[in-house]
Amino acid sequence: MQEISARKEWIDAWTAVQRRLEDTNSLVELAEESQDESLRDELNGELEAVRIAIDDLEFRRMLSGEDDERDALLTIHAGAGGTEAQDWAEM
């Protein structure tokens, strides 16, 4: 059930990005037809939002391996670094 939910989440995220990109494409066509320079700022904002959404999906994809959902334990040992290294390791 968790796998189905995770896959649905991916599909929903991709569909939202695709829909936003289609809307942006329509805005580009509208700007070209009307030759309205005031749409340029809105268009740039939409393109930036789409780029950020795609970057987010790519990052999530990088961290979607088999063990990425599991917890991890990180232990830091000062080694032979002296008192400053011990203080840092305690922090």
Side-chain angles (χ1 to χ4, degrees):
M1 193 66 163
Q2 288 179 338
E3 185 176 343
I4 292 171
S5 177
R7 290 186 188 264
K8 184 180 181 326
E9 184 180 330
W10 275 104
I11 291 170
D12 291 345
W14 175 252
T15 303
V17 169
Q18 187 176 14
R19 191 176 319 116
R20 192 158 195 180
L21 189 57
E22 289 171 358
D23 292 345
T24 303
N25 190 32
S26 298
L27 187 60
V28 168
E29 291 174 1
L30 179 65
E32 286 176 349
E33 288 175 6
S34 66
Q35 296 182 355
D36 187 2
E37 293 294 321
S38 65
L39 291 175
R40 181 177 290 181
D41 291 336
E42 184 179 351
L43 183 59
N44 286 335
E46 284 297 315
L47 287 173
E48 181 65 17
V50 169
R51 185 193 64 78
I52 290 170
I54 291 172
D55 287 347
D56 180 55
L57 283 175
E58 288 178 350
F59 184 72
R60 286 176 48 198
R61 177 66 182 121
M62 278 192 310
L63 298 177
S64 65
E66 180 180 338
D67 294 326
D68 287 331
E69 292 183 11
R70 297 186 177 143
D71 294 334
L73 179 63
L74 175 66
T75 305
I76 299 174
H77 298 281
T83 57
E84 289 182 10
Q86 289 174 348
D87 290 344
W88 187 86
E90 282 183 28
M91 288 189 285

